[in-house]
Amino acid sequence: MWVITIHSKNGIKMFEFTTEKEAREKFAVIEGCKILSEVIYFNDKQLIET
């Protein structure tokens, strides 16, 4: 999952995207103070069970 976070004087807004391509296309046209992040979920049952 990809997330764009936008900081403005009105507050913080976050937008989620499924693909990197989709997120980067939108990131290019958004104005203002912005951050593009990739969210990685790590679920490995082998490391949880001992």
Side-chain angles (χ1 to χ4, degrees):
M1 174 174 62
W2 291 82
V3 177
I4 296 175
T5 306
I6 304 170
H7 298 270
S8 69
K9 57 185 168 186
N10 296 330
I12 298 173
K13 292 184 180 181
M14 298 178 77
F15 301 93
E16 295 181 6
F17 300 90
T18 305
T19 65
E20 179 180 2
K21 180 183 177 193
E22 180 182 28
R24 290 194 182 274
E25 288 173 355
K26 188 70 173 175
F27 188 79
V29 297
I30 293 175
E31 294 183 10
C33 184
K34 56 194 176 182
I35 301 168
L36 176 61
S37 306
E38 180 180 16
V39 178
I40 300 172
Y41 294 102
F42 183 76
N43 296 325
D44 190 346
K45 292 181 181 181
Q46 290 178 335
L47 297 177
I48 296 171
E49 298 173 358
T50 56

